[in-house]
Amino acid sequence: MPRAKVKRKSTAIDMTAMCDVAFLLLTFFILSAKPKTQDPIQTTVPAATAEIALPESDFAMILVGQGKAFYSIAGPELKMETLKLMGEKYGQTFTQEELAAFANTESFGVPMNQLKQLLALPAAERSNVKQPGIPVDTTDNNELFNWVRQTRIADKAVANAELKVAIKGDSKEEYPTIAKIIKTLQKQQVNKFSLITSLKSAQK
Amino acid sequence: MAELDTSGGGKGDKKVRSKKQSTRVDLTAMVDLAFLLITFFILTTTLQKPKAMDLVMPDKDEKNNNQLPVPESRTMTILLGSNNKLEWYMGQPSNPLTAPVVEGYGKNGIRKALIDKAAEVKAASGGKEMIVLVKPSDKSTYENMVSIMDELNVVGNQSRAIVDITQAEIGLLQRDGIY
């Protein structure tokens, strides 16, 4: 009696659908990706129940940690415009390359007289350099004040919008450092600003 | 699956036929690659966007003198000390309406006092909100300030301000050992 033949099936699986799905997801992630930005110092942001998302444009951030202040501006156009204005203020002229380099820099924390050196470095090394922070201490050498001020002027010129300022502070940062930053902002009538927090569910 | 018939023409002709080849492409490697890239993009994307808490500071304009004095019966002062402790009292530091109390942050700490006192003030003043003055000392951390502002957000207090601490209040913190 002949044995019933089982039809041999191919072990190859049709990958077309899986491939479609994979590329669909890939496209989604590429389009929605905003690469992580490396801060020059490590900060742990305090948790709060606030749920307002940060704005994407017309936005400047002051990063505070280890007693130092760092500054970052959103958007390359605003960055370049601000640097031009800062250059005028401090009697420095920046070349096209330096402006381009600045547009690609995220947070920075160097006094104006060291900014050219920082911009001369290759982009990859910039985040590894130990940065001393932007001077905020005394009333006559408050560069952060001018940075914020010039950014506000630049934002008015570029986008005709009111600049929003946010403070991203380290949880363990002592209050006097923060108070100094707040005073700097208040000196130019910026009385409303945002504190960057991580999300915590409200304990009811 | 998409597959083309690659066999030649009719059956009859005995022409040289090229070998039948499958048009199936092995997509496994491509899928591997796609998933590898997906993984990369997932890991480099900041998934959780940072949130922001708005902070409004009182106007520090010296020229502007039309500020109203605040009634002390409606005022609660919160002093932020060291070691994640705070101290609160009603009224003025020299002559507080309630004795200063040392407490912690969060649900089990200051919140109860905030809710109770706000209700008391509301009842006594005929529906007016309690005014909260937050005075961070030099020994408090940024986290403390954020927690207390957040706490005020949670209990729904709108009349609050961050004010500079006075020497008398530092003395109070020192007396209670949190400075």
Side-chain angles (χ1 to χ4, degrees):
Chain A
M1 204 176 133
R3 220 190 268 172
K5 253 191 203 164
V6 182
K7 207 189 165 214
R8 236 202 246 170
K9 275 183 186 159
S10 164
T11 49
I13 306 166
D14 185 2
M15 286 281 184
T16 323
M18 195 173 175
C19 191
D20 287 353
V21 173
F23 273 99
L24 185 77
L25 285 173
L26 180 60
T27 318
F28 169 74
F29 277 105
I30 290 181
L31 292 182
S32 67
K34 201 183 148 202
K36 258 183 201 166
T37 49
Q38 191 74 47
D39 285 335
I41 43 162
Q42 285 293 317
T43 49
T44 329
V45 178
T49 52
E51 276 177 14
I52 312 161
L54 275 179
E56 299 269 312
S57 57
D58 308 319
F59 168 67
M61 187 179 80
I62 302 165
L63 178 72
V64 190
Q66 299 160 9
K68 297 180 214 165
F70 298 83
Y71 192 57
S72 69
I73 307 164
E77 284 161 52
L78 188 57
K79 273 183 201 162
M80 282 153 88
E81 194 59 36
T82 309
L83 187 65
K84 273 183 211 157
L85 287 170
M86 275 308 273
E88 282 168 28
K89 179 112 194 151
Y90 282 87
Q92 295 180 26
T93 39
F94 291 95
T95 61
Q96 212 56 42
E97 290 85 55
E98 282 168 331
L99 285 172
F102 187 70
N104 289 324
T105 319
E106 281 303 323
S107 296
F108 62 93
V110 288
M112 275 308 276
N113 53 19
Q114 293 175 30
L115 191 60
K116 273 180 181 281
Q117 290 167 31
L118 183 77
L119 293 178
L121 288 172
E125 278 174 43
R126 243 174 267 156
S127 54
N128 300 331
V129 176
K130 232 177 150 41
Q131 301 186 15
I134 297 174
V136 256
D137 333 296
T138 48
T139 40
D140 50 326
N141 186 25
N142 197 332
E143 284 183 13
L144 187 69
F145 177 89
N146 284 324
W147 274 110
V148 176
R149 194 175 174 78
Q150 301 308 324
T151 316
R152 288 172 67 204
I153 295 170
D155 197 29
K156 257 284 181 284
V158 171
N160 195 22
E162 206 57 57
L163 183 78
K164 293 171 205 79
V165 184
I167 298 177
K168 182 180 184 180
D170 190 42
S171 305
K172 296 284 162 267
E173 191 59 43
E174 288 189 347
Y175 182 72
T177 324
I178 303 289
K180 227 161 42 186
I181 307 286
I182 293 178
K183 271 208 189 88
T184 307
L185 292 175
Q186 284 205 283
K187 224 186 277 169
Q188 44 184 301
Q189 271 81 47
V190 178
N191 285 317
K192 187 167 184 272
F193 38 84
S194 311
L195 304 176
I196 296 181
T197 56
S198 61
L199 194 60
K200 173 179 82 172
S201 56
Q203 306 161 298
K204 286 269 151 80
Chain B
M1 189 159 127
E3 215 169 59
L4 290 174
D5 187 9
T6 49
S7 61
K11 261 186 178 173
D13 52 0
K14 291 268 178 205
K15 274 187 185 162
V16 186
R17 265 189 271 167
S18 59
K19 211 191 153 205
K20 224 197 215 177
Q21 264 181 330
S22 168
T23 49
R24 277 173 185 247
V25 183
D26 187 8
L27 290 176
T28 322
M30 196 166 170
V31 172
D32 285 353
L33 180 76
F35 274 102
L36 183 83
L37 288 173
I38 288 178
T39 321
F40 171 75
F41 276 100
I42 288 180
L43 293 181
T44 51
T45 314
T46 37
L47 282 180
Q48 205 184 18
K49 277 196 178 151
K51 302 290 174 189
M53 180 166 80
D54 278 346
L55 180 70
V56 183
M57 295 292 285
D59 207 341
K60 259 201 179 162
D61 200 353
E62 280 89 14
K63 286 166 257 166
N64 198 352
N65 282 325
N66 56 0
Q67 287 170 332
L68 296 169
V70 281
E72 58 176 284
S73 60
R74 270 170 61 207
T75 308
M76 180 193 229
T77 307
I78 302 174
L79 311 174
L80 311 185
S82 59
N83 299 328
N84 294 328
K85 290 280 178 205
L86 56 83
E87 186 163 9
W88 67 269
Y89 59 84
M90 302 293 292
Q92 286 195 339
S94 48
N95 183 23
L97 300 173
T98 62
V101 183
V102 176
E103 253 178 324
Y105 293 87
K107 187 180 147 205
N108 303 317
I110 184 75
R111 187 175 303 177
K112 200 176 169 309
L114 279 175
I115 293 171
D116 289 352
K117 287 293 165 194
E120 268 177 42
V121 166
K122 214 164 200 165
S125 67
K128 281 185 186 154
E129 206 181 14
M130 180 168 70
I131 298 153
V132 181
L133 301 180
V134 178
K135 302 192 176 183
S137 74
D138 287 359
K139 294 288 155 64
S140 62
T141 61
Y142 173 61
E143 191 181 20
N144 295 152
M145 188 188 89
V146 171
S147 330
I148 196 71
M149 295 318 275
D150 192 43
E151 206 60 48
L152 290 169
N153 281 338
V154 169
V155 300
N157 184 297
Q158 292 304 319
S159 320
R160 73 289 183 88
I162 295 180
V163 189
D164 292 336
I165 199 162
T166 61
Q167 203 54 50
E169 286 158 336
I170 291 176
L172 208 58
L173 287 175
Q174 275 163 342
R175 190 198 67 187
D176 292 310
I178 52 169
Y179 188 77

